[in-house]
Amino acid sequence: AEVADWLGLMHFMDAMMLITIAEYVEPVSDENVTVMDTELSNVSVRLYLPRQAPEGLRRAVVFFHGGGWCLGQAGMKPYDRLCRWTSNRLNAVVVSVNYRLAPKYRFPVQFEDVYAVTKFFLQSSVLAQYGVDPARVCVAGDSAGGNLAAAVAQQLLEDPEVETKLKAQALIYPALQTLDLDLPSYRDNAEKPILPKSLMLRFWSEYFTSDPALQEAMASNRHVPPASSHLFQLVNWSSLLPEEMKRGHAYAGPRAGSPELARRFPGFLDARAAPLLVPDARLRRLPRTYVLTCQHDVLRDDGLMYVGRLRAAGVPVTHYHARDAFHGSMLFASGFTELAVGHKLTNSYIDWLDDNL
């Protein structure tokens, strides 16, 4: 992808998207789940409807796939398997959202797509159509999808048009902040597989722009304008991380940069893109939460800081930390690259949903 981009043959993300295309599977129903591609609120979704008879109203999960807001789709084999298993094991309706992707579409389009689907689905008439209990709905997602799930859960609390409240949110190794990109997890895992620091910085930058100036500033941790430096306290890992994660690292904190980038690309300071930037008062009303973090992951500390802030705000949080896993490990639960750790993380996630939804 880097070579194709350097030679001008293809945009880096378009080349990376070939992985998504290669992993695509058709919406095939089986004896347990009816699967179909459709639209909700004019956004493409893959819908999973369990065939087993319900004992009453069903549970529901609205799921957002990962891929750095640039890659992935609901029809990729790992996501299709995960949503199929979730629907079957929980006897639940699962809505997997195909939001539009960068670089063609920038923030806030991805957020607006997933929010539109969730808000539409939470209407009483739509829940009734699918036999869903309005008191048992969850949003979930992995990586960039975990980012979107956290942002949706926050925004729903501020929307007077939404009467149905989420019962839970499940965030799988989520990306949650854009301010400090030199956390201990970024330092420790800069060259680890699947998501090295350089790729994560590119994902963050592409979410907002293809201008290399933002990515370069993020790489030096000097992209936040002086006027926004008060936000650093919300992501200050020296006070928010457990001691074991801070060991061996000295806190320096981000350095203020030119206000020009924030003026041109204000999205990276928007809580809809960086859910850790909301004040504690907004966190207190969030539903019960599951957060999965992996030790060998640049995004590890994003999740850990959110766990700490949610617990301090009084939100019931279940935190599963996988010490033997790397970013994306849950997706390695089926197919040629099947790994035991993928099954372990998948079972943790689905078991939590079963107990809490």
Short mmCIF file of all heavy atoms in Angstrom, two decimals, residues 115-169:
data_model
loop_
_atom_site.label_atom_id
_atom_site.label_comp_id
_atom_site.label_asym_id
_atom_site.label_seq_id
_atom_site.Cartn_x
_atom_site.Cartn_y
_atom_site.Cartn_z
N TYR A 115 -24.84 7.03 13.99
CA TYR A 115 -25.82 7.67 14.88
C TYR A 115 -27.21 7.62 14.27
O TYR A 115 -28.19 7.34 14.98
CB TYR A 115 -25.42 9.11 15.19
CG TYR A 115 -26.24 9.72 16.30
CD1 TYR A 115 -25.97 9.39 17.63
CD2 TYR A 115 -27.30 10.59 16.04
CE1 TYR A 115 -26.73 9.91 18.66
CE2 TYR A 115 -28.06 11.12 17.07
CZ TYR A 115 -27.78 10.77 18.38
OH TYR A 115 -28.54 11.29 19.41
N ALA A 116 -27.30 7.86 12.97
CA ALA A 116 -28.60 7.83 12.30
C ALA A 116 -29.23 6.46 12.40
O ALA A 116 -30.44 6.33 12.66
CB ALA A 116 -28.44 8.24 10.84
N VAL A 117 -28.44 5.40 12.20
CA VAL A 117 -28.97 4.04 12.30
C VAL A 117 -29.43 3.75 13.72
O VAL A 117 -30.52 3.20 13.94
CB VAL A 117 -27.91 3.01 11.85
CG1 VAL A 117 -28.36 1.60 12.20
CG2 VAL A 117 -27.65 3.13 10.36
N THR A 118 -28.60 4.09 14.70
CA THR A 118 -28.95 3.80 16.09
C THR A 118 -30.20 4.54 16.51
O THR A 118 -31.11 3.97 17.13
CB THR A 118 -27.78 4.17 17.02
OG1 THR A 118 -26.58 3.56 16.56
CG2 THR A 118 -28.07 3.71 18.45
N LYS A 119 -30.28 5.81 16.18
CA LYS A 119 -31.45 6.61 16.55
C LYS A 119 -32.71 6.08 15.87
O LYS A 119 -33.77 6.00 16.50
CB LYS A 119 -31.21 8.08 16.16
CG LYS A 119 -32.32 9.03 16.59
CD LYS A 119 -31.93 10.47 16.32
CE LYS A 119 -33.05 11.44 16.71
NZ LYS A 119 -32.64 12.86 16.52
N PHE A 120 -32.59 5.70 14.62
CA PHE A 120 -33.74 5.13 13.89
C PHE A 120 -34.18 3.82 14.54
O PHE A 120 -35.38 3.58 14.76
CB PHE A 120 -33.36 4.90 12.43
CG PHE A 120 -34.44 4.28 11.60
CD1 PHE A 120 -35.42 5.07 11.02
CD2 PHE A 120 -34.49 2.90 11.40
CE1 PHE A 120 -36.44 4.50 10.25
CE2 PHE A 120 -35.48 2.33 10.64
CZ PHE A 120 -36.46 3.13 10.06
N PHE A 121 -33.21 2.96 14.84
CA PHE A 121 -33.52 1.65 15.40
C PHE A 121 -34.18 1.77 16.77
O PHE A 121 -35.02 0.93 17.14
CB PHE A 121 -32.25 0.81 15.50
CG PHE A 121 -32.47 -0.61 15.93
CD1 PHE A 121 -33.06 -1.52 15.05
CD2 PHE A 121 -32.09 -1.04 17.18
CE1 PHE A 121 -33.27 -2.84 15.44
CE2 PHE A 121 -32.30 -2.35 17.58
CZ PHE A 121 -32.89 -3.26 16.70
N LEU A 122 -33.82 2.79 17.54
CA LEU A 122 -34.37 2.96 18.89
C LEU A 122 -35.79 3.49 18.92
O LEU A 122 -36.38 3.59 20.00
CB LEU A 122 -33.46 3.88 19.71
CG LEU A 122 -32.09 3.31 20.10
CD1 LEU A 122 -31.26 4.36 20.81
CD2 LEU A 122 -32.25 2.07 20.99
N GLN A 123 -36.36 3.82 17.78
CA GLN A 123 -37.76 4.23 17.75
C GLN A 123 -38.64 3.06 18.20
O GLN A 123 -38.40 1.91 17.81
CB GLN A 123 -38.16 4.66 16.34
CG GLN A 123 -37.47 5.91 15.85
CD GLN A 123 -37.89 6.26 14.44
OE1 GLN A 123 -38.75 7.12 14.24
NE2 GLN A 123 -37.28 5.59 13.47
N SER A 124 -39.66 3.35 18.96
CA SER A 124 -40.51 2.29 19.50
C SER A 124 -41.15 1.45 18.40
O SER A 124 -41.28 0.23 18.52
CB SER A 124 -41.59 2.89 20.40
OG SER A 124 -42.36 3.85 19.70
N SER A 125 -41.53 2.09 17.29
CA SER A 125 -42.17 1.35 16.20
C SER A 125 -41.19 0.39 15.53
O SER A 125 -41.57 -0.72 15.13
CB SER A 125 -42.73 2.32 15.16
OG SER A 125 -41.71 3.14 14.64
N VAL A 126 -39.93 0.78 15.41
CA VAL A 126 -38.93 -0.08 14.78
C VAL A 126 -38.56 -1.23 15.72
O VAL A 126 -38.45 -2.40 15.29
CB VAL A 126 -37.68 0.73 14.40
CG1 VAL A 126 -36.61 -0.17 13.79
CG2 VAL A 126 -38.06 1.83 13.42
N LEU A 127 -38.38 -0.94 16.99
CA LEU A 127 -38.10 -2.00 17.96
C LEU A 127 -39.23 -3.02 17.98
O LEU A 127 -38.99 -4.23 18.02
CB LEU A 127 -37.91 -1.40 19.35
CG LEU A 127 -36.69 -0.50 19.54
CD1 LEU A 127 -36.73 0.17 20.91
CD2 LEU A 127 -35.39 -1.28 19.36
N ALA A 128 -40.45 -2.54 17.91
CA ALA A 128 -41.61 -3.45 17.90
C ALA A 128 -41.62 -4.30 16.64
O ALA A 128 -41.98 -5.49 16.67
CB ALA A 128 -42.90 -2.64 18.02
N GLN A 129 -41.24 -3.71 15.53
CA GLN A 129 -41.20 -4.44 14.26
C GLN A 129 -40.29 -5.66 14.34
O GLN A 129 -40.59 -6.71 13.77
CB GLN A 129 -40.72 -3.51 13.15
CG GLN A 129 -40.55 -4.18 11.78
CD GLN A 129 -39.97 -3.23 10.75
OE1 GLN A 129 -39.95 -2.00 10.96
NE2 GLN A 129 -39.49 -3.78 9.64
N TYR A 130 -39.18 -5.52 15.06
CA TYR A 130 -38.23 -6.63 15.18
C TYR A 130 -38.38 -7.39 16.49
O TYR A 130 -37.56 -8.28 16.77
CB TYR A 130 -36.81 -6.10 15.04
CG TYR A 130 -36.50 -5.56 13.66
CD1 TYR A 130 -36.40 -4.20 13.42
CD2 TYR A 130 -36.36 -6.43 12.59
CE1 TYR A 130 -36.14 -3.71 12.15
CE2 TYR A 130 -36.10 -5.95 11.31
CZ TYR A 130 -35.99 -4.59 11.10
OH TYR A 130 -35.73 -4.11 9.83
N GLY A 131 -39.40 -7.08 17.26
CA GLY A 131 -39.64 -7.80 18.51
C GLY A 131 -38.58 -7.58 19.55
O GLY A 131 -38.24 -8.49 20.32
N VAL A 132 -38.02 -6.36 19.61
CA VAL A 132 -36.92 -6.05 20.52
C VAL A 132 -37.44 -5.34 21.77
O VAL A 132 -38.27 -4.42 21.68
CB VAL A 132 -35.86 -5.17 19.83
CG1 VAL A 132 -34.83 -4.66 20.82
CG2 VAL A 132 -35.20 -5.96 18.71
N ASP A 133 -36.93 -5.76 22.91
CA ASP A 133 -37.24 -5.13 24.19
C ASP A 133 -36.52 -3.77 24.26
O ASP A 133 -35.28 -3.73 24.20
CB ASP A 133 -36.76 -6.03 25.33
CG ASP A 133 -37.16 -5.52 26.70
OD1 ASP A 133 -37.50 -4.32 26.83
OD2 ASP A 133 -37.10 -6.32 27.65
N PRO A 134 -37.23 -2.66 24.36
CA PRO A 134 -36.56 -1.35 24.40
C PRO A 134 -35.65 -1.16 25.59
O PRO A 134 -34.81 -0.25 25.59
CB PRO A 134 -37.73 -0.35 24.41
CG PRO A 134 -38.90 -1.13 24.89
CD PRO A 134 -38.70 -2.54 24.41
N ALA A 135 -35.76 -2.00 26.60
CA ALA A 135 -34.92 -1.89 27.78
C ALA A 135 -33.66 -2.75 27.68
O ALA A 135 -32.89 -2.82 28.64
CB ALA A 135 -35.70 -2.28 29.03
N ARG A 136 -33.45 -3.40 26.51
CA ARG A 136 -32.32 -4.32 26.39
C ARG A 136 -31.59 -4.15 25.06
O ARG A 136 -31.44 -5.07 24.27
CB ARG A 136 -32.79 -5.77 26.56
CG ARG A 136 -33.55 -6.03 27.84
CD ARG A 136 -34.02 -7.46 27.95
NE ARG A 136 -32.95 -8.36 28.34
CZ ARG A 136 -33.08 -9.69 28.37
NH1 ARG A 136 -34.22 -10.25 28.01
NH2 ARG A 136 -32.07 -10.46 28.74
N VAL A 137 -31.13 -2.91 24.82
CA VAL A 137 -30.40 -2.59 23.59
C VAL A 137 -29.00 -2.11 23.95
O VAL A 137 -28.82 -1.33 24.89
CB VAL A 137 -31.14 -1.50 22.77
CG1 VAL A 137 -30.37 -1.21 21.47
CG2 VAL A 137 -32.58 -1.93 22.46
N CYS A 138 -28.03 -2.56 23.17
CA CYS A 138 -26.62 -2.24 23.41
C CYS A 138 -25.99 -1.72 22.12
O CYS A 138 -26.37 -2.13 21.02
CB CYS A 138 -25.89 -3.51 23.86
SG CYS A 138 -24.08 -3.37 24.00
N VAL A 139 -25.03 -0.79 22.24
CA VAL A 139 -24.17 -0.45 21.11
C VAL A 139 -22.80 -1.05 21.38
O VAL A 139 -22.35 -1.12 22.53
CB VAL A 139 -24.04 1.08 20.88
CG1 VAL A 139 -25.35 1.64 20.37
CG2 VAL A 139 -23.58 1.80 22.13
N ALA A 140 -22.14 -1.50 20.32
CA ALA A 140 -20.85 -2.15 20.47
C ALA A 140 -20.01 -1.90 19.23
O ALA A 140 -20.53 -1.58 18.16
CB ALA A 140 -21.03 -3.65 20.70
N GLY A 141 -18.70 -2.07 19.38
CA GLY A 141 -17.81 -1.93 18.24
C GLY A 141 -16.38 -2.20 18.64
O GLY A 141 -16.03 -2.17 19.83
N ASP A 142 -15.55 -2.45 17.64
CA ASP A 142 -14.13 -2.69 17.91
C ASP A 142 -13.28 -1.63 17.23
O ASP A 142 -13.57 -1.19 16.13
CB ASP A 142 -13.72 -4.09 17.43
CG ASP A 142 -13.64 -4.20 15.92
OD1 ASP A 142 -14.60 -3.78 15.25
OD2 ASP A 142 -12.62 -4.71 15.40
N SER A 143 -12.22 -1.20 17.92
CA SER A 143 -11.26 -0.24 17.38
C SER A 143 -11.96 1.06 16.99
O SER A 143 -12.55 1.72 17.85
CB SER A 143 -10.51 -0.88 16.20
OG SER A 143 -9.39 -0.12 15.83
N ALA A 144 -11.93 1.44 15.72
CA ALA A 144 -12.67 2.64 15.30
C ALA A 144 -14.16 2.47 15.57
O ALA A 144 -14.86 3.45 15.86
CB ALA A 144 -12.43 2.92 13.82
N GLY A 145 -14.66 1.24 15.49
CA GLY A 145 -16.06 1.00 15.83
C GLY A 145 -16.34 1.19 17.30
O GLY A 145 -17.42 1.62 17.69
N GLY A 146 -15.35 0.87 18.16
CA GLY A 146 -15.49 1.15 19.58
C GLY A 146 -15.51 2.64 19.84
O GLY A 146 -16.23 3.13 20.72
N ASN A 147 -14.72 3.37 19.09
CA ASN A 147 -14.75 4.84 19.14
C ASN A 147 -16.15 5.34 18.81
O ASN A 147 -16.72 6.19 19.53
CB ASN A 147 -13.72 5.39 18.16
CG ASN A 147 -13.88 6.86 17.84
OD1 ASN A 147 -14.74 7.24 17.05
ND2 ASN A 147 -13.05 7.70 18.43
N LEU A 148 -16.72 4.83 17.74
CA LEU A 148 -18.05 5.28 17.31
C LEU A 148 -19.12 4.88 18.31
O LEU A 148 -20.05 5.65 18.58
CB LEU A 148 -18.35 4.70 15.92
CG LEU A 148 -17.47 5.24 14.79
CD1 LEU A 148 -17.67 4.40 13.53
CD2 LEU A 148 -17.78 6.71 14.50
N ALA A 149 -19.00 3.68 18.89
CA ALA A 149 -19.98 3.24 19.88
C ALA A 149 -19.96 4.15 21.11
O ALA A 149 -21.01 4.53 21.63
CB ALA A 149 -19.71 1.79 20.27
N ALA A 150 -18.75 4.49 21.58
CA ALA A 150 -18.64 5.38 22.74
C ALA A 150 -19.23 6.75 22.43
O ALA A 150 -19.93 7.34 23.26
CB ALA A 150 -17.17 5.51 23.16
N ALA A 151 -18.96 7.27 21.23
CA ALA A 151 -19.47 8.58 20.85
C ALA A 151 -20.98 8.57 20.72
O ALA A 151 -21.67 9.51 21.13
CB ALA A 151 -18.82 9.03 19.55
N VAL A 152 -21.54 7.49 20.15
CA VAL A 152 -22.99 7.38 20.01
C VAL A 152 -23.66 7.33 21.38
O VAL A 152 -24.67 7.99 21.62
CB VAL A 152 -23.35 6.13 19.17
CG1 VAL A 152 -24.83 5.78 19.32
CG2 VAL A 152 -23.02 6.37 17.70
N ALA A 153 -23.11 6.53 22.28
CA ALA A 153 -23.69 6.42 23.63
C ALA A 153 -23.71 7.79 24.32
O ALA A 153 -24.69 8.14 25.01
CB ALA A 153 -22.91 5.41 24.46
N GLN A 154 -22.65 8.56 24.15
CA GLN A 154 -22.61 9.90 24.75
C GLN A 154 -23.63 10.83 24.11
O GLN A 154 -24.36 11.55 24.80
CB GLN A 154 -21.21 10.49 24.60
CG GLN A 154 -20.15 9.81 25.43
CD GLN A 154 -18.77 10.42 25.21
OE1 GLN A 154 -18.61 11.36 24.43
NE2 GLN A 154 -17.76 9.88 25.89
N GLN A 155 -23.70 10.81 22.79
CA GLN A 155 -24.58 11.75 22.08
C GLN A 155 -26.05 11.45 22.34
O GLN A 155 -26.87 12.37 22.39
CB GLN A 155 -24.29 11.69 20.57
CG GLN A 155 -24.98 12.77 19.75
CD GLN A 155 -24.46 14.16 20.05
OE1 GLN A 155 -23.32 14.32 20.50
NE2 GLN A 155 -25.28 15.17 19.82
N LEU A 156 -26.41 10.19 22.49
CA LEU A 156 -27.81 9.84 22.74
C LEU A 156 -28.33 10.49 24.02
O LEU A 156 -29.51 10.82 24.12
CB LEU A 156 -27.97 8.32 22.83
CG LEU A 156 -27.87 7.55 21.50
CD1 LEU A 156 -27.83 6.05 21.76
CD2 LEU A 156 -29.05 7.89 20.59
N LEU A 157 -27.44 10.67 24.99
CA LEU A 157 -27.85 11.28 26.25
C LEU A 157 -28.23 12.75 26.09
O LEU A 157 -28.97 13.30 26.91
CB LEU A 157 -26.72 11.17 27.28
CG LEU A 157 -26.30 9.77 27.70
CD1 LEU A 157 -25.09 9.83 28.61
CD2 LEU A 157 -27.45 9.03 28.39
N GLU A 158 -27.74 13.37 25.01
CA GLU A 158 -27.99 14.79 24.79
C GLU A 158 -29.11 15.04 23.79
O GLU A 158 -29.41 16.18 23.48
CB GLU A 158 -26.71 15.46 24.27
CG GLU A 158 -25.46 15.17 25.08
CD GLU A 158 -25.59 15.61 26.52
OE1 GLU A 158 -26.13 16.71 26.75
OE2 GLU A 158 -25.16 14.85 27.42
N ASP A 159 -29.70 13.97 23.27
CA ASP A 159 -30.70 14.09 22.20
C ASP A 159 -32.11 14.00 22.77
O ASP A 159 -32.56 12.92 23.16
CB ASP A 159 -30.48 12.98 21.16
CG ASP A 159 -31.23 13.21 19.87
OD1 ASP A 159 -32.28 13.89 19.92
OD2 ASP A 159 -30.80 12.72 18.82
N PRO A 160 -32.85 15.11 22.81
CA PRO A 160 -34.19 15.09 23.40
C PRO A 160 -35.20 14.27 22.58
O PRO A 160 -36.28 13.93 23.09
CB PRO A 160 -34.59 16.57 23.44
CG PRO A 160 -33.78 17.20 22.35
CD PRO A 160 -32.49 16.45 22.32
N GLU A 161 -34.86 13.95 21.34
CA GLU A 161 -35.78 13.18 20.50
C GLU A 161 -35.70 11.68 20.76
O GLU A 161 -36.55 10.93 20.29
CB GLU A 161 -35.47 13.45 19.02
CG GLU A 161 -35.69 14.89 18.60
CD GLU A 161 -35.34 15.12 17.14
OE1 GLU A 161 -34.76 14.19 16.52
OE2 GLU A 161 -35.64 16.21 16.62
N VAL A 162 -34.71 11.24 21.50
CA VAL A 162 -34.53 9.81 21.77
C VAL A 162 -35.07 9.47 23.15
O VAL A 162 -34.55 9.94 24.17
CB VAL A 162 -33.04 9.41 21.68
CG1 VAL A 162 -32.87 7.92 21.98
CG2 VAL A 162 -32.50 9.74 20.29
N GLU A 163 -36.13 8.67 23.17
CA GLU A 163 -36.75 8.29 24.44
C GLU A 163 -36.18 6.98 24.99
O GLU A 163 -36.09 6.80 26.20
CB GLU A 163 -38.26 8.17 24.26
CG GLU A 163 -38.94 9.49 23.88
CD GLU A 163 -40.44 9.35 23.73
OE1 GLU A 163 -40.95 8.21 23.87
OE2 GLU A 163 -41.11 10.36 23.47
N THR A 164 -35.82 6.07 24.12
CA THR A 164 -35.27 4.78 24.54
C THR A 164 -33.82 4.94 24.98
O THR A 164 -33.01 5.52 24.26
CB THR A 164 -35.34 3.75 23.40
OG1 THR A 164 -36.69 3.62 22.97
CG2 THR A 164 -34.83 2.41 23.85
N LYS A 165 -33.51 4.44 26.15
CA LYS A 165 -32.15 4.54 26.68
C LYS A 165 -31.40 3.24 26.45
O LYS A 165 -31.96 2.14 26.55
CB LYS A 165 -32.18 4.83 28.19
CG LYS A 165 -32.98 6.08 28.56
CD LYS A 165 -32.40 7.34 27.94
CE LYS A 165 -33.18 8.57 28.36
NZ LYS A 165 -32.69 9.79 27.67
N LEU A 166 -30.13 3.34 26.12
CA LEU A 166 -29.30 2.15 25.99
C LEU A 166 -29.14 1.47 27.34
O LEU A 166 -29.00 2.14 28.37
CB LEU A 166 -27.92 2.52 25.47
CG LEU A 166 -27.81 3.06 24.04
CD1 LEU A 166 -26.37 3.47 23.76
CD2 LEU A 166 -28.28 2.03 23.02
N LYS A 167 -29.12 0.14 27.31
CA LYS A 167 -28.84 -0.57 28.55
C LYS A 167 -27.34 -0.75 28.74
O LYS A 167 -26.85 -0.83 29.88
CB LYS A 167 -29.52 -1.94 28.56
CG LYS A 167 -29.32 -2.67 29.88
CD LYS A 167 -30.15 -3.92 30.01
CE LYS A 167 -29.98 -4.53 31.40
NZ LYS A 167 -30.75 -5.79 31.54
N ALA A 168 -26.59 -0.82 27.62
CA ALA A 168 -25.16 -1.12 27.76
C ALA A 168 -24.40 -0.63 26.54
O ALA A 168 -24.97 -0.37 25.47
CB ALA A 168 -24.96 -2.63 27.92
N GLN A 169 -23.08 -0.52 26.74
CA GLN A 169 -22.16 -0.27 25.63
C GLN A 169 -20.97 -1.21 25.80
O GLN A 169 -20.51 -1.44 26.93
CB GLN A 169 -21.70 1.18 25.57
CG GLN A 169 -20.93 1.67 26.78
CD GLN A 169 -20.37 3.08 26.63
OE1 GLN A 169 -20.21 3.57 25.52
NE2 GLN A 169 -20.08 3.73 27.75
#
